[in-house]
């Protein structure tokens, strides 16, 4: 079964890999979206029979302990912080496929424990374990996809897998909406079934991981060059050993792997501080991966818009039933936005996508805040203001998912060397956990203190992101993963200096490759004089 991929064409194999990766991201989406459906289930918040289930609702279904409710959600992100760094070490040491198997184990345990939880203590443990599982998925699946994707379409292929993210969130929303009409098993079925449905993508992910190949870049790094060449030859050349794209990419992988040998071991502390990384500048890359996620998950205001979308819908005069299905429909708009990103993110580039996204999202956030205030100040016109604000929520989700959503997930999979790609991506996942987990806790506090001005704060922040992107985030679109070491080789962290150093070093590398002999069937490459000079 592990050799099944060898019978496929290169294009078919790449599509299979994207599909399997999509199942991983679908689980991540469902595990995020499920709490929106579960938290409104009365039997989950406060069981009348037990007098207390999780303890954050009263007997009438009113939330009386919002901090406890938010804390249960946040435990998932605490588990993700732990799981992210464990996933980085495991995946870089034992490979991407085995890392996916570990993810499936933790995800399955998390699903079972959440669906069978009986009290607060059990759900807290279940949420931590579920968070560990999803961290393994986010650390490994995008990086694994990036390592198998052609440079010109890498962003598109990773984004296509993330179509499953909003699909999973939307599916959980609709399942929650459908089960809200039943009181079967005293109301327990409603929330236990929502948790249990998360197992569906996990089953498909595990089955798919049995028939797809390992990352060729990881195989070369592990010394298994023949296996790596076989995969590159299949995906890039459709089994043609003389295909120029396959040969050139494999030449680059071997050359850069040779240059990276001197850095082949490191730990998270050294990585974070950049100790011993020399021109690799790991510390600089880690800061970019971490803070880009924090800025997206919290700083864009997505938490404020999504968490309070129900409040905005109710301000428009919509009843609970209509507000619930509108929230689910809003998540489906995210699917459309992600599809748009898939076909623009490589053509437009990472930097320009962040530029136009920051400007448009800032405008929408100010509009939402103004309309929300208009509804509060003019109760007789609350329906008109509220309806307009609700429409802006849909526009916001569309623009967000087609611009800022994807790049913080793509960027960390591109900028780190193969030998620490999963470890580097772990810092990106840590930023995701801190940003989104912090947002779920801090946004309610902000709304309680400054109300609609919360939207103005995030709207203003988006404008400040533009110079940050301009100065510190170099463009990665269209560049191979092996070229990233040269992109970050400059001693200066300013983009224009990094680009100058990249042009110089990449020219030297391409000259070196032209001077080398063609790789033989064993993946060996004779070191010519230029290679020896370049390696000093």
């Amino acid at each position: 079964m592990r050799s099944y991929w060898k019978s496929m064409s290169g294009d078919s194999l790449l599509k299979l890999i994207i599909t399997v990766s999509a199942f991983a991201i679908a689980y991540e989406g469902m595990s995020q979206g499920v709490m929106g459906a579960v938290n409104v289930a009365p039997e989950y918040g406060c069981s009348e029979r037990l007098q207390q289930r999780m303890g954050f609702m009263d007997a009438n279904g009113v939330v009386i302990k919002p901090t406890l409710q938010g804390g249960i959600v946040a435990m998932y992100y605490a588990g993700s912080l732990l799981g992210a760094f464990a996933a980085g070490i495991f995946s870089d040491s034992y490979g991407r496929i085995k890392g996916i198997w570990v993810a499936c184990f933790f995800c399955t345990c998390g699903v079972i424990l959440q669906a069978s939880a009986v009290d607060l203590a059990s759900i807290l443990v279940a949420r931590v374990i579920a968070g560990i599982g999803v961290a393994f998925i986010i650390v490994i699946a995008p990086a694994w996809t990036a390592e198998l994707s052609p440079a010109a379409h890498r962003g598109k292929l990773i984004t296509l897998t993330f179509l499953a993210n909003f699909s999973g969130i939307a599916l959980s929303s609709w399942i929650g909406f459908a089960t809200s009409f039943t009181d079967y098993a005293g109301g327990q079925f409603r929330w236990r079934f929502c948790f249990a449905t998360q197992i569906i993508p996990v089953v498909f992910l595990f089955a798919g991981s049995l028939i797809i190949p390992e990352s060729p870049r990881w195989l070369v790094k592990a010394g298994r060059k023949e296996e790596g060449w076989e995969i590159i030859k299949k995906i890039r050349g459709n089994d043609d050993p003389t295909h120029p794209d396959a040969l050139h990419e494999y030449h680059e992988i071997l050359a850069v792997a040779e240059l990276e040998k001197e850095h082949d071991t490191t730990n998270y502390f050294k990585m974070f501080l950049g100790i011993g990384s020399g021109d690799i500048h790991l510390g600089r890359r880690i800061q970019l991966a971490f803070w880009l996620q924090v800025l997206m998950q919290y700083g864009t205001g997505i938490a404020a818009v999504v968490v309070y979308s129900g409040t905005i819908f109710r301000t428009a005069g919509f009843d609970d039933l209509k507000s619930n299905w509108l929230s689910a429909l809003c998540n489906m708009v995210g699917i459309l936005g992600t599809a748009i990103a898939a076909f623009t993110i490589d053509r437009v580039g990472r930097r320009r996508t962040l530029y136009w996204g920051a400007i448009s999202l800032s405008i929408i956030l100010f509009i939402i805040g103004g309309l929300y205030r208009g509804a509060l100040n003019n109760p007789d016109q609350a329906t008109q203001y509220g309806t307009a604000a609700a429409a802006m929520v849909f526009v916001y989700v569309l623009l967000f998912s087609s611009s800022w959503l994807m790049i913080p997930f793509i960027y960390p999979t591109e900028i780190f060397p193969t030998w620490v790609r999963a470890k580097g991506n772990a810092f990106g996942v840590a930023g995701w956990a801190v940003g989104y987990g912090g947002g779920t806790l801090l946004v309610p506090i902000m709304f309680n203190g400054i109300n609609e001005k919360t939207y103005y704060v995030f709207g203003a922040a988006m404008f400040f992101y533009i110079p940050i992107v301009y100065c510190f985030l170099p463009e990665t679109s269209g560049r191979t993963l092996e070229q990233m070491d040269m992109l970050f080789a400059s001693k200066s962290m300013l983009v224009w200096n990094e680009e100058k150093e990249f042009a110089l070093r990449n020219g030297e590398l391409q000259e070196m490759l032209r001077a080398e002999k063609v790789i033989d069937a064993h993946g060996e490459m004779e070191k010519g004089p230029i290679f020896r000079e370049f390696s000093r």
Side-chain angles (χ1 to χ4, degrees), residues 10 48 50 62 66 70 83 98 123 166 184 221 232 241 247 259 266 319 344 388 413 416 441 457 468 478 501 534:
E48 292 184 13
L50 299 175
V62 177
K98 290 180 180 177
I123 195 64
F166 263 109
Y184 182 70
K221 171 250 181 187
I232 288 291
L247 287 170
L259 296 175
T266 191
D319 58 25
T344 60
T413 69
F416 290 102
L441 290 175
V457 170
I468 293 174
E501 186 70 20
F534 190 85

Side-chain angles (χ1 to χ4, degrees), residues 127-378:
R127 294 291 291 165
V128 170
I129 292 175
I132 293 173
V134 84
F136 266 80
I137 279 178
I138 302 177
V139 166
I140 296 169
W144 172 55
T145 304
E147 291 176 338
L148 286 157
S149 301
H153 305 294
R154 187 171 55 242
K156 173 183 177 181
L157 295 180
I158 296 175
T159 304
L160 285 175
T161 67
F162 271 82
L163 279 172
N165 174 265
F166 263 109
S167 299
I169 295 173
L171 179 59
S172 286
S173 297
W174 285 115
I175 290 173
F177 176 71
T179 55
S180 67
F181 296 99
T182 179
D183 288 322
Y184 182 70
Q188 291 188 57
F189 175 81
R190 174 177 176 178
W191 61 272
R192 293 190 189 278
F193 181 75
C194 289
F195 276 133
T197 54
Q198 297 175 93
I199 198 64
I200 298 172
V202 178
V203 171
F204 283 104
L205 172 62
F206 179 73
S209 69
L210 298 176
I211 60 175
I212 52 177
E214 181 57 86
S215 161
R217 287 173 167 83
W218 182 85
L219 290 170
V220 170
K221 171 250 181 187
R224 296 157 61 180
K225 297 178 181 179
E226 290 188 27
E227 296 175 62
W229 168 239
E230 190 173 7
I231 297 167
I232 288 291
K233 180 177 64 175
K234 167 72 72 175
I235 295 179
R236 300 290 181 265
N238 206 20
D239 286 324
D240 179 6
T242 63
H243 195 285
D245 291 344
L247 287 170
H248 186 271
E249 182 167 335
Y250 193 56
H251 267 283
E252 275 198 344
I253 293 172
L254 286 181
V256 174
E258 190 71 23
L259 296 175
E260 290 175 348
K261 277 185 178 179
E262 60 184 274
H263 304 285
D264 205 23
T265 56
T266 191
N267 57 51
Y268 284 121
F269 179 77
K270 289 182 178 180
M271 288 177 65
F272 183 77
L273 297 179
I275 298 174
S277 64
D279 287 349
I280 300 293
H281 291 122
L282 289 178
R284 184 189 307 171
R285 305 191 208 193
I286 285 169
Q287 297 302 319
L288 291 177
F290 179 85
W291 288 108
L292 191 56
Q293 274 284 7
V294 173
L295 292 181
M296 185 270 285
Q297 295 291 353
Y298 178 66
T300 61
I302 183 62
V305 174
V306 172
V307 170
Y308 279 84
S309 62
T311 302
I312 293 174
F313 295 149
R314 288 172 178 81
T315 302
F318 305 143
D319 58 25
D320 287 347
L321 177 63
K322 191 171 185 178
S323 296
N324 288 338
W325 68 256
L326 278 173
S327 294
L329 187 63
C330 190
N331 287 324
M332 296 189 70
V333 172
I335 300 175
L336 174 61
T338 308
I340 293 172
F343 294 97
T344 60
I345 207 163
D346 285 320
R347 295 180 181 180
V348 177
R350 318 293 188 247
R351 285 160 57 85
R352 284 188 289 179
T353 298
L354 293 177
Y355 292 152
W356 76 256
I359 294 171
S360 59
L361 291 176
S362 178
I363 294 171
I364 297 298
L365 284 165
F366 276 104
I367 292 174
I368 291 175
L371 291 171
Y372 190 57
R373 171 48 58 184
L376 295 177
N377 290 345
N378 303 279

